[in-house]
């Protein structure tokens, strides 16, 4: 019989959780930083399909504030934004000792250079597929100081 809503794809069933010091598990929180409102909302929706909670920031200064106040588990960061570039934000966070995994996102051909400049190996070049997003998020989860686990829901 055709899918009647009881079966979900692997990406829809993927649940990312964090266990911390005996506390009950909670969904992994991703901060999405992009000045393009439509793309930011779309990316948040895709991440929610993968089982993540999402936080949003429109620019670099808001991103730094959200990292300090909300303490996300990973950040997806557009490189080309007004004001601070994504790589500048990532470098500044890492310079303060913040170990937050950062996935750099750019629409240019320079995605490897941007990631290197940001001090991360995690990167996505626009346009990307849901599978590429999922694999990169899983790689980022592996960098979350061993505090995260991935399980099928």
């Amino acid at each position: 019989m055709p899918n009647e809503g009881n079966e979900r794809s692997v990406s829809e069933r993927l649940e990312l959780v964090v266990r911390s010091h005996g506390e009950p598990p909670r969904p992994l929180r991703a901060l999405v930083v992009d000045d393009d409102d439509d793309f930011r909302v779309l990316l948040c929706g895709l991440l929610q399909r993968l089982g993540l909670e999402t936080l949003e920031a429109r620019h670099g200064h808001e991103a730094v504030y959200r990292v300090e106040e909300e303490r996300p588990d990973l950040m997806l960061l557009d490189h080309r934004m007004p004001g601070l570039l994504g790589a500048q934000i990532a470098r500044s966070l890492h310079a303060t000792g913040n170990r937050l995994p950062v996935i750099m996102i750019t629409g240019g051909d320079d995605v490897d250079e941007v990631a290197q400049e940001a001090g991360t190996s995690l990167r996505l070049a626009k346009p990307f597929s849901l599978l590429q997003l999922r694999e990169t998020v899983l790689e980022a989860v592996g960098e979350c100081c061993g505090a995260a686990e991935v399980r099928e829901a």
Side-chain angles (χ1 to χ4, degrees):
M1 266 185 117
N3 185 344
E4 295 179 351
N6 292 332
E7 294 181 20
R8 293 182 288 168
S9 70
V10 171
S11 63
E12 289 174 313
R13 293 183 333 211
L14 182 67
E15 181 182 351
L16 301 170
V17 297
V18 174
R19 294 184 186 277
S20 177
H21 307 291
E23 297 174 11
R26 63 167 174 78
L28 199 68
R29 281 190 308 250
L31 174 61
V32 177
V33 185
D34 199 307
D35 61 313
D36 181 328
D37 293 339
D38 293 333
F39 182 77
R40 192 179 61 253
V41 168
L42 174 67
L43 186 52
C44 285
L46 292 173
L47 291 167
Q48 290 164 5
R49 280 189 63 194
L50 294 175
L52 284 80
E53 286 184 358
T54 57
L55 307 166
E56 298 180 38
R58 290 180 177 86
H59 53 75
H61 296 291
E62 185 180 1
V64 171
Y65 173 79
R66 299 292 304 259
V67 167
E68 292 171 358
E69 294 297 313
E70 306 281 343
R71 307 194 62 79
D73 300 299
L74 68 122
M75 179 166 49
L76 291 92
L77 181 58
D78 184 42
H79 179 60
R80 292 185 182 92
M81 295 183 291
L84 295 173
L85 293 174
Q88 292 173 307
I89 298 164
R91 278 197 324 267
S92 124
L93 288 171
H94 291 149
T96 64
N98 191 312
R99 309 290 295 169
L100 178 70
V102 175
I103 300 171
M104 290 302 304
I105 300 174
T106 186
D109 294 332
D110 58 347
V111 66
D112 292 330
E113 293 84 11
V114 166
Q116 183 177 3
E117 184 182 339
T120 183
S121 62
L122 303 167
R123 62 203 176 284
L124 286 168
K126 294 176 188 174
F128 52 84
S129 69
L130 182 58
L131 179 61
Q132 289 169 316
L133 175 63
R134 178 184 179 273
E135 293 304 315
T136 306
V137 166
L138 288 173
E139 188 177 346
V141 168
E143 293 187 8
C144 284
C145 305
E149 73 177 37
V150 178
R151 70 174 185 210
E152 289 289 326

